[in-house]
Amino acid sequence: MTLYLSKRVQRVSLSANAAAKSRATALREAGRDILDLTTGEPDFDTPVHVKQAAYAAIAAGATKYTPTPGVRALREAVQHKLRTENQLDYPLASIVIANGAKQIIFNAFAATLDDGDEVLVPTPYWPSFPDSVRFNGGEPVFIECGLDQGCKLTPQQLEQHIGERTRWLILNSPGNPSGAVYSEAELQGLAQVLRRHAHVLILLDELYEHIRFDGRPVQGLLNVAPDLQARCLLVGGVSKTYAMTGWRIGFGAGPQALTEAMTVVQSQSTSGASSVGQAAALAAFEGGLDFLAEQVAAYRQRRDVLVSSLRNVEGLEVLEPQGGFFVFVRCAGLLGRYRPDGQRLEHDTDVVEYLLDEGVAGVAGGAYGLSPWFRLSIATATATVAEAGHRIAHACGRLRGER
């Protein structure tokens, strides 16, 4: 029997991050000494008071269906968080809860895109951005943002790529995989362009908002351009800040017509998010951020260790991240060189394969729309990050030049 798959599903692919993680795990299980720097998942545990809230919810019988847009108490907590942390006011009807930030993004595109509609995707990008667009009939329009501009979109590029069919612009800050953070001046420049194109919606992925290394308060596009709020969907969650990746709770805040349409989409797919997960997320938002400084300091130390290890390695150019927990490395200078076994490095996938053979697992930059680069996660022990940097430097030193 031949199984015919939809054109829709054939337009997307399995996550490259998940594939790299799976391969690293398989090699480790087979006895190989592999340092896994593939996954963007905090190595810290979920705070104790959050877990206790989940236990209490189970004991109290809070294990039933939940309202599709989210439990009211959690939506109110998100509303309070946005007001106090982000200085943004939203009515409760403009806030929706889903099974992770990824579902918020998917629901938004499902609710707004028709076949052929365009979404502007600066590169490098989180791989789910373009695939979520494709799955919902849209066309991602990629805008390359290279090392010379710090992997950040410029107003000139934005102006050049907006067309009649442009429905969305995606802005991710701090960025995955780049760690880039937009300054106030840079956001103001983008806002000036967006004001001239009122048909363009803006998706603000700020999932890494609290993991910043500049010591400054959280600041996003809406803080410098509040007049754009009616056109923005702010996406957040608990996975990165509170080390709750497996709890699968994300939120969206945007214009009410959009959040209501997203609720309709969710009602016909997963329905409301987990009752226990929402109870845990409520405790997270109500419990404060006292634990965060120590974790951010650990990420900063790991960043410094890895960047220091790689900065002077011939053939590599390191973009020092200003937030998040990834280090993005340009490896164009390694292409054309030969491994000790005689194989020639032709592409960033060859570089990543070589590093894996040398005991370090990362992800090739092509997965994020920018080659030749590779991404390394610093969401693991400092000693592991330090050893990975040493191994990468040693491996690059063993390469031979053109024959």
Side-chain angles (χ1 to χ4, degrees), residues 53-356:
Y55 302 149
I58 294 171
T63 56
K64 309 299 183 182
Y65 289 132
T66 61
T68 302
V71 172
R72 183 181 181 88
L74 178 56
R75 294 164 66 210
E76 289 176 340
V78 171
Q79 183 183 47
H80 179 75
K81 169 257 188 296
L82 292 172
R83 183 181 302 119
T84 57
E85 291 181 20
N86 305 88
Q87 293 76 55
L88 298 172
D89 285 318
Y90 285 92
L92 203 60
S94 291
I95 296 170
V96 63
I97 308 298
N99 299 279
K102 181 181 286 190
Q103 188 179 31
I104 291 289
I105 295 166
F106 186 94
N107 289 350
F109 291 152
T112 58
L113 293 180
D114 288 321
D115 290 349
D117 284 344
E118 296 178 348
V119 176
L120 303 184
V121 185
T123 65
Y125 51 71
W126 179 48
S128 289
F129 287 143
D131 272 352
S132 185
V133 170
R134 293 186 184 104
F135 197 89
N136 286 292
E139 297 292 339
V141 175
F142 299 112
I143 308 174
E144 183 171 329
C145 305
L147 182 63
D148 60 330
Q149 60 198 73
C151 290
K152 290 183 280 189
L153 180 69
T154 68
Q156 294 77 16
Q157 288 179 308
L158 176 58
E159 185 71 67
Q160 290 169 3
H161 285 83
I162 292 177
E164 292 182 1
R165 299 216 64 175
T166 304
R167 290 287 283 152
W168 287 91
L169 164 68
I170 296 174
L171 283 180
N172 176 208
S173 178
N176 173 11
S178 67
V181 175
Y182 285 88
S183 69
E184 179 178 348
E186 289 165 338
L187 292 172
Q188 287 281 19
L190 296 175
Q192 289 179 13
V193 176
L194 290 165
R195 290 186 182 106
R196 293 195 291 270
H197 301 279
H199 66 291
V200 179
L201 299 169
I202 307 108
L203 190 149
L204 302 173
D205 180 349
E206 300 186 358
L207 207 62
Y208 295 90
E209 63 175 332
H210 291 113
I211 305 173
R212 294 178 53 158
F213 308 133
D214 56 12
R216 298 177 182 175
V218 174
Q219 186 174 58
L221 178 68
L222 293 179
N223 299 120
V224 302
D227 56 300
L228 296 178
Q229 184 167 334
R231 294 163 53 192
C232 290
L233 176 67
L234 178 64
V235 181
V238 295
S239 61
K240 311 302 181 182
T241 299
Y242 299 94
M244 293 176 65
T245 52
W247 296 85
R248 308 312 305 140
I249 299 294
F251 70 81
Q256 185 173 339
L258 174 59
T259 55
E260 288 178 348
M262 291 165 60
T263 300
V264 171
V265 173
Q266 187 162 310
S267 73
Q268 298 298 347
S269 57
T270 63
S271 298
S274 159
S275 58
V276 176
Q278 291 192 68
L282 174 61
F285 284 128
E286 291 183 340
L289 296 168
D290 292 343
F291 64 91
L292 189 62
E294 181 179 351
Q295 294 186 11
V296 172
Y299 290 131
R300 183 187 295 113
Q301 180 186 25
R302 297 166 186 178
R303 177 203 65 173
D304 293 345
V305 166
L306 189 55
V307 169
S308 177
S309 296
L310 302 182
R311 176 175 283 141
N312 296 319
V313 174
E314 184 181 355
L316 300 182
E317 297 174 273
V318 184
L319 177 65
E320 181 172 281
Q322 299 305 304
F325 35 69
F326 305 105
V327 173
F328 204 41
V329 184
R330 189 170 185 266
C331 55
L334 299 183
L335 303 188
R337 298 189 186 184
Y338 291 85
R339 296 168 41 142
D341 61 7
Q343 295 184 52
R344 192 172 189 267
L345 301 179
E346 303 279 1
H347 194 269
D348 54 17
T349 54
D350 299 327
V351 174
V352 169
E353 185 70 24
Y354 173 55
L355 296 181
L356 184 61

Side-chain angles (χ1 to χ4, degrees), residues 17 20-21 24 28 34-40 302 306 310 325-327 356 359-363 368 374-381 383-389 392:
N17 298 339
K21 172 70 174 179
R28 295 175 74 176
I34 302 293
L35 303 178
D36 184 1
L37 274 64
T38 61
T39 305
R302 297 166 186 178
L306 189 55
L310 302 182
F325 35 69
F326 305 105
V327 173
L356 184 61
V360 180
V363 186
Y368 312 101
F374 60 88
R375 190 193 80 170
L376 302 169
S377 170
I378 55 173
T380 189
T384 299
V385 171
E387 175 61 18
I392 293 170

